[in-house]
Amino acid sequence: MNLEKVIFAFFIVFAATLNFGFFIGDIDRPELHNIYELFAAIVVNMIATVLKFGDRTQIGAVLLSTSLVADLQLITAAVIWAIAVHINGTGMTPEVTSSVVSLSGGALLANIISVTMLVVETVMMRR
């Protein structure tokens, strides 16, 4: 067992699960989507992105790009949340919540692609 690969896989799967936890629930109900879970998803996604910088294979490049997409979408969701609550003062209306949750759904799709590629790469190494 390689400790580096365990840590790498841990952060990829942890990022996907945190993102899923934020995404799940009715899309227009802000009480079902916790801001701290979104923050945790952003932080763990960024850690996973940094861990992917060292992989110089073609699969590593695709993993890095999916992670960058997830980071971009989650950060955009957080910015929309912050603008609605702290700048506009409108709060989390159903429209704003739908935008934030939709962006986290896009990040979730990118995370699912990362996890799938990680599993495929792991299965191919066994052969």
Side-chain angles (χ1 to χ4, degrees):
M1 181 171 60
N2 186 342
L3 182 61
E4 181 181 329
K5 291 190 183 292
V6 171
I7 292 171
F8 184 73
F10 169 78
F11 276 103
I12 289 176
V13 173
F14 192 36
T17 57
L18 280 173
N19 199 352
F20 180 76
F22 178 78
F23 177 75
I24 197 80
D26 290 342
I27 195 167
D28 60 345
R29 294 180 54 195
E31 67 270 16
L32 299 178
H33 306 282
N34 190 326
I35 186 68
Y36 297 114
E37 196 164 8
L38 177 63
F39 178 72
I42 291 170
V43 169
V44 172
N45 263 295
M46 290 183 138
I47 292 170
T49 301
V50 169
L51 291 174
K52 292 172 186 172
F53 279 130
D55 192 355
R56 299 195 183 276
T57 64
Q58 181 63 33
I59 289 178
V62 176
L63 282 172
L64 179 60
S65 66
T66 59
S67 190
L68 289 172
V69 167
D71 288 343
L72 182 64
Q73 291 199 330
L74 288 174
I75 290 170
T76 304
V79 168
I80 289 173
W81 188 307
I83 288 173
V85 172
H86 299 292
I87 295 176
N88 289 346
T90 59
M92 291 303 291
T93 63
E95 294 82 17
V96 172
T97 305
S98 297
S99 297
V100 170
V101 173
S102 294
L103 284 166
S104 75
L108 178 62
L109 180 62
N111 283 333
I112 289 171
I113 291 170
S114 286
V115 170
T116 303
M117 291 182 66
L118 180 69
V119 170
V120 168
E121 184 181 22
T122 303
V123 168
M124 291 179 69
M125 287 179 63
R126 286 286 207 188
R127 294 182 180 188

